[in-house]
Amino acid sequence: DEKMIGEVFQEAGYRTAAFGKWHSGMQYPYHPNARGFEEFYGFCSGHWGDYFSPMLEHNGQMVTGNGFVVDDFTDRAMDFIEESGDEPFFVYLCYNTPHSPMQVPDRWWNKFKDLELPADPPPAPGDKLDHARAAFAMCENIDWNVGRIMDKLDALEIADNTIVIFIADNGRCNLRGKGYLHESGVHVPMIVWAPGLIDAGTVVEELVTTTDISRTVLELAGAHEPDYLPGK
């Protein structure tokens, strides 16, 4: 019964797309194409078993991916942005790394495969050090792909008129992370690029959550705000 952010932007005249992981339903009326996203390329599951040219979904049809999934999702997002031309767009780009299976292209793995990990605290018996190294490599790949998005916005000369939000979903899954109210479980990176709207270097100390994003970006974009949003 809820109206999702893609639907609101679509009603406001935006082109909308979702790329990558969609974990909010795989059948209508919960599929992304039914929730305000005219374009969807990715998978409707919380976990995917292969990151290199796997079977993926494109607007309800199964297709074969093109290379490493994170690079592939980014390519699709950049194409959509460029194809939008002068039309306003809303892109939900959801990477599925770092996460098992710990698969990452050699270009990134080779940089970290021999990384000496901190000796304090010492590794516990059964710790998978290569698992940690692969996670670092995946994060490096994410940095590169986010950079590609920003470079595309610059090349299209729309960076100063585009809001970009980079955010993680949760902390690590082991020890005191995901599922716990400790630092690594509730505190994750959130970076907002909004030239002319938010001053560079601004630090927000208050606790925020992803549910705060909808009202904020809709207000900044001048899109219609549905009555159910907090603060109406």
Side-chain angles (χ1 to χ4, degrees), residues 5-50:
I5 189 171
E7 297 172 86
V8 181
F9 270 111
Q10 194 172 55
E11 291 173 359
Y14 280 67
R15 297 193 69 214
T16 56
F19 302 103
K21 175 181 175 179
W22 174 270
H23 200 192
S24 295
M26 62 181 62
Q27 297 172 328
Y28 280 79
Y30 308 108
H31 188 276
N33 289 144
R35 302 297 268 173
F37 293 99
E38 63 183 79
E39 177 78 3
F40 171 65
Y41 178 78
F43 59 92
C44 297
S45 173
H47 179 75
W48 213 239
D50 186 5

Side-chain angles (χ1 to χ4, degrees), residues 137-195:
M138 288 176 167
C139 289
E140 189 87 351
N141 172 263
I142 290 173
D143 287 346
W144 177 70
N145 276 296
V146 171
R148 292 206 293 145
I149 292 287
M150 299 307 296
D151 287 345
K152 173 61 72 173
L153 297 178
D154 278 333
L156 296 174
E157 299 183 346
I158 58 173
D160 289 342
N161 193 35
T162 303
I163 299 169
V164 180
I165 299 176
F166 175 90
I167 191 167
D169 64 344
N170 53 246
R172 61 190 181 186
C173 294
N174 60 334
L175 302 177
R176 292 181 174 180
K178 179 180 180 180
Y180 291 84
L181 297 179
H182 293 86
E183 176 70 7
S184 62
V186 299
H187 199 188
V188 299
M190 181 176 182
I191 303 170
V192 180
W193 164 276

Side-chain angles (χ1 to χ4, degrees), residues 108-120:
W108 312 107
W109 168 246
N110 290 337
K111 181 176 180 178
F112 294 94
K113 66 179 181 179
D114 299 318
L115 179 68
E116 289 293 330
L117 298 177
D120 185 22

Side-chain angles (χ1 to χ4, degrees), residues 70-121:
V70 178
D71 302 347
D72 192 13
F73 297 151
T74 305
D75 288 340
R76 292 275 184 152
M78 292 193 299
D79 288 344
F80 181 85
I81 291 170
E82 186 162 7
E83 291 164 3
S84 295
D86 294 331
E87 295 183 75
F89 61 86
F90 174 70
V91 171
Y92 174 67
L93 175 58
C94 187
Y95 297 145
N96 52 308
T97 58
H99 194 290
S100 61
M102 307 308 287
Q103 300 173 350
V104 64
D106 288 345
R107 173 181 178 181
W108 312 107
W109 168 246
N110 290 337
K111 181 176 180 178
F112 294 94
K113 66 179 181 179
D114 299 318
L115 179 68
E116 289 293 330
L117 298 177
D120 185 22

